[in-house]
Amino acid sequence: MGTTVLLVDDHELIRQGLARAFEREDGMTVVGQAGSVAEGVSLWRSLEPDVVVTDLQMPDGSGLDVVRAIRQESESTGAVVLTMHAGDDQIFAAMEAGASAFVGKDTRATEVVSAARHAAVAPRTFLCAGLSQAVMRRATAPAPPKLSGRESEVLALLADGLGTSEIASSLYMSESTAKTHITHIYQKLGAVNRAQALVGAMRLGLLDHASPERF
């Protein structure tokens, strides 16, 4: 039967286009199609295809959820991730999830087929055209700012909507000291006001929350 393939994408036109591309290839057979994460995982378990080709953005989750579900049960199934948004974060997330290949939807269908062939033969070897450049960008990216313990406490109170005097009172420090900490926080985050500081801190993972009304 050659290599069997399951297609997972919520857009039927894309699934049909990929199916036709695979049908033109010798030894490649599409055995199923799914339009959601749940359906994709269910069909993978029942059909046991050699390769799953999944879109990244799905109506009920992410294609990475499909990849993770596969990897929990199988090391031999190939998993190809397709996406319109091929940024560095998406590339590394796919690699960490256990994908065999990562392909942008702006590439030719023949490249998707080639990625599926690779996935069938080497399911745990990650293939991505932009991987080396992404690795270089990550290696040369500036280190995120580091806040002192006291600055982290002040930042958390800023996120809770407290003013300078309230922060000073809560942390048993003078108002001028609180102002100094806030100034240092703004400088490290490249911010000029509270809203910019909170947005930057959340983007860098320095905050888990911030009151929406404080932005």
Side-chain angles (χ1 to χ4, degrees), residues 21 29 54 120 163 168 186 195 205 208:
T29 303
T54 178
Y186 286 4
D208 293 326

Side-chain angles (χ1 to χ4, degrees), residues 81-129:
V81 175
L82 296 178
T83 181
M84 288 294 294
H85 308 286
D88 292 356
D89 290 343
Q90 289 81 8
I91 291 173
F92 288 118
M95 182 170 62
E96 291 164 3
S100 313
F102 183 92
V103 183
K105 281 188 173 179
D106 55 347
T107 60
R108 293 173 297 181
T110 52
E111 294 188 37
V112 179
V113 174
S114 295
R117 289 190 185 279
H118 156 82
V121 175
R124 293 315 310 268
T125 302
F126 187 66
L127 176 69
C128 174

Side-chain angles (χ1 to χ4, degrees), residues 6-27:
L6 169 66
L7 302 176
V8 184
D9 195 302
D10 59 324
H11 293 94
E12 184 177 357
L13 286 176
I14 292 177
R15 293 200 310 269
Q16 294 300 330
L18 287 173
R20 286 193 293 271
F22 278 105
E23 288 168 1
R24 290 194 291 266
E25 298 290 327
D26 291 335

